Amino acid sequence: MTHLTSLPDRTVLAVSGADRVAFLQGLVSNDVAAATAGQAIWAAFLTPQGRWLADFFIFADPGGERLLLECEAALADMLRQRLSRYRLRSDVTIADTGFAVHAAWGAVPPMIDSAIGAPDPRLAEAGWRLLLPHPAPGAADPAAYDAHRLSLGLPDGSRDCESGKTLLLEANFEALNGISWTKGCYMGQELTARTRYRGLVKRKLLPVASAALPAPGTPILHEGREAGVMASSRDGRGLAMMRLDQIHADLRIDGHPIHVQVPSWLTLPEP
């Protein structure tokens, strides 16, 4: 069975021009050249100090003349403006497309051949990302996909990452194919590499479960001291930015017990 949802909180920007690949290559965390027909990449745009500002999927337009950035709609204007600052004399144009974004999981979606689409590059279990001219009829409520991605422990942009503060390794980009360690320099690359090689990660975005999960930003406590901070959640399952030295402690949120569940795809650093 195929599950399909439209994602109205996502939008698509087109990066056109002869220099589009080289332009993005120097700005984002993953290898832009790996975005080919039927294969998307997931990448982040960082501050010069290596902190998260936005993340997005990059598709190669089948026409061969554009790269398509599927991003959070609320961050699209910021992303377009910030990327435009680095155009200089590059042959690059950034514009809206009007595409409707969809996610599918389960069986292969029947419209995969007629859409601009690709498997979700983060995890095979995540399914597919699809760009269509209009929202697909009969698509399920976006809450269905939200529950699916929370069950896998996948971050959802600004709902789980803090602008100008979150490091990519804190949000598990290294385990979800969001970073190229071989492509060369990009903005924020120095801190990202140093965090990896020096083992500087002290906290991680991890799945949590509780009978009641409150709003993002609510502290998770161990013996009255903060051990983590709640991020997105739905129906008792969510994500939280947790101190690694506290994930096996007796944790409480708003007085309720809360349990950390490390996903099978993530290997935590040694203490």
Side-chain angles (χ1 to χ4, degrees), residues 27-49:
L27 293 174
V28 306
S29 65
N30 216 336
D31 185 359
V32 179
T36 57
Q39 180 174 335
I41 66 166
W42 185 51
F45 178 64
L46 309 176
T47 68
Q49 296 76 33

Side-chain angles (χ1 to χ4, degrees), residues 112-138:
I112 188 70
D113 293 329
S114 60
I116 300 173
D120 190 314
R122 298 172 297 177
L123 286 176
E125 297 88 342
W128 293 264
R129 311 292 293 196
L130 303 170
L131 312 181
L132 299 168
H134 307 286

Side-chain angles (χ1 to χ4, degrees), residues 67-86:
L67 291 170
L68 302 174
L69 275 58
E70 184 227 297
C71 63
E72 193 172 342
L75 300 180
D77 286 343
M78 177 278 293
L79 184 59
R80 181 172 52 239
Q81 291 170 12
R82 286 185 178 252
L83 289 175
S84 296
R85 294 178 189 174
Y86 298 96

Side-chain angles (χ1 to χ4, degrees), residues 146-167:
D146 199 39
H148 174 62
R149 66 101 189 165
L150 284 169
S151 73
L152 298 173
L154 299 177
D156 185 23
S158 62
R159 296 177 67 196
D160 297 306
C161 298
E162 195 171 358
S163 180
K165 292 187 177 181
T166 301
L167 302 175

Side-chain angles (χ1 to χ4, degrees), residues 1-4 104-110 128 140:
M1 180 178 179
T2 301
H3 303 274
L4 176 71
W105 64 101
V108 178
W128 293 264

